[in-house]
């Protein structure tokens, strides 16, 4: 495709993404963890850019940074575009930021073209989309849809600060969370890098997301006995790591079976495993692991969880340890993107001469929560080798501009076509 | 057995062990890690007690704290008694300390009885017997036998300090290590808690150690790709934890087979396993594990290592990751305790009316290194439920005193019977 003659400024969009990437922990590029000082630096920079673009800037009670441009007809509600500016540790430059910068560029491109929408437009930087130090992801989008339960505010980071305190610290108001709940959003659009290889391998410009996987996170703790590694005979051990390792092996086997069954997206990962006390000469007394299960089909997730519950109990018994706990940390169901918005995005892509395809999202996104209060849809842009959540994460300048142009066209189309 | 009428002061011995236990990280009792400020506090306390007992106190160039009482005949060399005062993290009150306090009590009991030995006697607190932050154990006893190789001094702890710098910091002299090498020690005796259940289960007072296991430590690193846990299909993953978990399972299986083969002591443990980057939503890109292998039979260790080398390579291939390294971190051969000293210890125990048995040691000890320069032997005392390297580690006051009395009797016997 030719990314020339796009109705926006590809360089301006690109320079925003690169500028925000500079606001990182220099020892671990690219790291801008939610609630951190760097995160607040990034948001201060974004707020200035929002204001420069003529947006009225505020932080809602759920801690979302919002830039708003009123529409010509105050009765019509809001078209919202956004994503998030926080990152995973040692993450990339695009995951999240690309979608926020797209929203900003859409507003500037409309202004440059002298277009004033009938609807208000809001650019949203959702708070803490990535799993935060408080053990929760999508904090801001949960808040915006009324799904940030009071109990979640009592979650604590390792230093002991509650999410309630942290939310207040970044400008939110945990005592007035209901005020963040919206009923005036008529459409939500989010651009994001694909984080997979489908678009790249098929040389396509954009993916229009059909549905977003459900994500369930399960924590298992095994407790054995931290005995001396030299003097405790093999037959008398209570080795928590042996139970955990067998569980990891089982998770992989079952996940491969379910993934191979059909066309539904299914993956499961053990990304966290800790061993205590963690000395070379001590039999592991305690192991904690976290399983991340994702599927577009809740029935597959349910079958997986039932098998792992059974398997992990058997692994514990075989290693003579206790499965001290098996807890569901979070459980978000899969959600479908809005068919009408998907149709608009596909048509806009084709009008711009771009190659597009339908795609399921294996990653969770703020858009998944936004479907609870408004029609929502997503545009994916290709990223190199499918790499994400890593410093080498990369999307080309033209690819990003093409995706943003689809969002821009869709915003203009929706402004005319949304039910009034 | 009746621990009354022992030729030493059981309460004085006990109060030394308890007093040293108080010098601990209060958040993680009982922790007095080698080279730490607490460790130096403990040594300052010990040095005062040594001096109070009439010992001349020094730190040798290998960082060992030594209290010495000259003998009547300067031509005869030294009988040494000792162990170590450092602990593992969240360890116990007896491992190491019991042997140092025994040496001190032996000196005091001799003095109280008006006995002056012909040989000099030295009480030794060996530096860093437990695996230290620098990745090395038995630092001081290695130094005393000329086995602290120059390369080992360049090992670094996570903060970047070299062992060379640390050794200087605790009063050693890395530039004059050869001066720590001894040729004047005629016998070395070490009391230690059993760290197993043999004595307790047979209601015996002391174990006379026949041999000390060889310990080999092997580090394996698997490197895969830290991909997104949601968007990376199962079939395209390079999950380092899957390779590591399968290796842990294999280590356990092979160790159980070799342990079941015969009467030789054989155990193998994975006590350290780390996962990077360690996020719930990231496929593990790198895993490091450390295998601790111990046997009284080097041929069993060799068969184990060959199997694990082969298995871990297969695990890596099956998970589509690289086994980036397999390194032998340390390799100490099994050593036999001196037959003459063992005979003396057995006879002394019987003379004291104590029940004794021969026993292999599954743990490494400073005595293993000391066999390189002098006849050496060990006395084990029972510990509750075999628990060690844990806060609940426990030996009874009377059991400790009984073991110390055996050492005292043996010192007196050896002073007369050692070749002159």
């Amino acid at each position: 495709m030719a990314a020339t003659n796009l109705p926006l400024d590809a360089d301006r969009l690109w320079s925003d993404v690169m500028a925000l990437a500079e606001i990182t922990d220099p020892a671990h590029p690219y790291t801008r963890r939610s609630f951190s000082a760097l995160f607040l630096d990034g948001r201060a920079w974004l707020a200035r850019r929002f204001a420069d673009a003529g947006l009225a800037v505020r932080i809602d009670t759920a801690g979302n940074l919002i830039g708003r441009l009123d529409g010509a007809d105050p009765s019509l509600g809001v078209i919202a575009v956004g994503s998030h500016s926080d990152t995973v540790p040692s993450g990339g430059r695009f995951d999240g930021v690309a979608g926020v910068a797209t929203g900003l560029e859409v507003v500037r491109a409309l202004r440059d073209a002298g277009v004033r929408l009938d609807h208000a437009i809001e650019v949203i930087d959702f708070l803490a989309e990535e799993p935060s130090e408080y053990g929760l992801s999508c904090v801001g989008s949960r808040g915006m849809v009324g799904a940030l339960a009071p109990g979640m505010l009592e979650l604590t980071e390792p230093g002991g600060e509650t999410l309630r305190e942290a939310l207040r610290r970044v400008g939110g108001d945990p005592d007035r969370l209901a005020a963040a709940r919206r009923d005036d959003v008529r459409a939500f659009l989010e651009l994001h890098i694909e984080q997979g290889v489908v678009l790249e391998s098929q040389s396509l410009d954009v993916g229009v997301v059909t549905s977003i996987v459900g994500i369930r996170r399960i924590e298992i703790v095994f407790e054995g006995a931290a005995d001396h590694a030299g003097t405790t005979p093999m037959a008398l051990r209570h080795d928590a790591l042996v139970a955990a390792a067998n569980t990891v092996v089982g998770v992989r086997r079952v996940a491969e079976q379910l993934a191979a069954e059909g066309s539904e997206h299914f993956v499961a990962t053990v990304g966290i495993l800790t061993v205590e006390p963690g000395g070379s000469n001590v039999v592991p007394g305690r192991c904690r692991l976290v399983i991340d299960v994702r599927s577009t089909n809740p029935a597959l997730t349910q079958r997986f969880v039932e098998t792992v519950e059974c398997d992990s109990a058997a692994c514990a018994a075989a290693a003579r340890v206790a499965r001290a706990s098996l807890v569901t940390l979070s459980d978000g169901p899969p959600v479908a993107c809005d068919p009408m918005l998907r149709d608009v995005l596909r048509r806009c892509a084709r009008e711009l001469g771009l190659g597009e395809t339908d795609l399921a999202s294996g990653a969770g996104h703020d858009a998944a929560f936004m479907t609870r209060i408004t029609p929502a849809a997503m545009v994916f842009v290709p990223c190199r080798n499918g790499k994400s959540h890593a410093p080498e994460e990369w999307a080309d300048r033209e690819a990003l501009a093409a995706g943003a142009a689809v969002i821009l066209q869709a915003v203009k189309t929706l402004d005319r076509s949304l039910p009034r």
Side-chain angles (χ1 to χ4, degrees), chain A residues 215-231:
Chain A
I215 307 179
R216 196 182 296 195
R217 291 213 177 94
I218 296 164
E219 177 195 69
I220 302 178
V221 175
F222 294 104
E223 283 181 2
D227 291 317
H228 193 291
T231 59

Side-chain angles (χ1 to χ4, degrees), chain A residues 121-136:
Chain A
I121 181 165
E122 291 191 9
V123 184
I124 307 176
D125 171 27
F126 290 104
L127 179 64
E129 192 266 353
E130 304 289 359
S132 67
E133 306 299 327
Y134 305 80
L136 193 71

Side-chain angles (χ1 to χ4, degrees), chain A residues 1 192 253 416:
Chain A
M1 69 101 197
H192 206 280
R253 186 185 59 246
R416 293 187 301 272

Side-chain angles (χ1 to χ4, degrees), chain A residues 58 66 68 78 122 144-145 179-185 373:
Chain A
R58 72 182 191 277
I66 302 175
R68 177 187 172 102
V78 175
E122 291 191 9
M144 192 172 283
V145 305
R181 174 82 157 80
R182 301 289 290 272
D183 59 8
D184 58 338
V185 182
I373 58 162

Side-chain angles (χ1 to χ4, degrees), chain A residues 55-56 58 66-82 107 117-124 126 144 181-189 340-341 370 373-376 410-411 414-415 418-420:
Chain A
L55 296 168
R58 72 182 191 277
I66 302 175
R68 177 187 172 102
L69 191 67
D70 285 332
D73 183 345
S75 71
L76 288 187
V78 175
I79 297 172
V81 182
V107 168
L117 301 182
D118 290 341
H119 292 77
I121 181 165
E122 291 191 9
V123 184
I124 307 176
F126 290 104
M144 192 172 283
R181 174 82 157 80
R182 301 289 290 272
D183 59 8
D184 58 338
V185 182
R186 300 287 167 260
F188 174 72
L189 297 174
M340 182 273 289
L341 292 189
M370 291 298 280
I373 58 162
T374 180
V411 166
L414 291 169
D415 187 51
L418 280 174
R420 300 209 171 189

Side-chain angles (χ1 to χ4, degrees), chain A residues 152-336:
Chain A
M152 295 174 178
L153 295 177
E154 307 314 322
L155 291 166
T156 55
E157 47 87 51
E161 187 186 45
T162 63
L163 181 56
R164 174 186 299 278
E165 293 160 347
L167 182 53
R168 193 171 283 123
R169 192 161 51 71
V170 300
D173 184 347
D175 301 326
R176 292 180 53 250
L177 265 189
R181 174 82 157 80
R182 301 289 290 272
D183 59 8
D184 58 338
V185 182
R186 300 287 167 260
F188 174 72
L189 297 174
E190 179 171 4
L191 175 139
H192 206 280
I193 57 168
E194 180 195 344
Q195 310 180 282
V197 295
V198 173
L199 297 176
E200 182 180 59
S201 64
Q202 301 183 23
S203 299
L204 293 168
D205 300 300
V206 292
V208 176
V209 175
T210 53
S211 58
I212 300 168
V213 289
I215 307 179
R216 196 182 296 195
R217 291 213 177 94
I218 296 164
E219 177 195 69
I220 302 178
V221 175
F222 294 104
E223 283 181 2
D227 291 317
H228 193 291
T231 59
T232 312
M234 299 309 297
L236 296 180
R237 292 179 171 219
H238 309 279
D239 187 329
L241 178 55
V242 168
N246 275 297
T247 300
V248 170
V249 171
V251 162
R252 172 68 165 216
R253 186 185 59 246
V254 178
E256 285 179 335
Q257 286 166 359
L258 293 176
E261 270 190 16
S263 61
E264 295 274 16
H265 188 92
F266 186 90
V267 290
T269 309
V270 180
I272 295 175
L273 190 156
T274 57
V275 181
E276 294 175 31
S280 62
N281 59 350
V282 190
V283 176
R286 187 173 189 275
C287 275
R288 171 180 176 266
L289 57 89
V290 177
I291 309 171
D292 176 295
V293 195
R294 305 184 186 216
S295 183
T296 44
N297 182 349
L300 289 182
T301 299
Q302 195 52 37
R303 277 173 56 198
F304 173 85
V305 170
E306 283 165 10
T307 306
V308 168
E309 280 179 354
C310 190
D311 276 5
S312 59
C315 292
R320 293 181 295 271
V321 305
R323 192 187 67 192
S325 66
L326 186 153
V327 177
T328 300
L329 298 178
S330 63
D331 185 15
V335 297

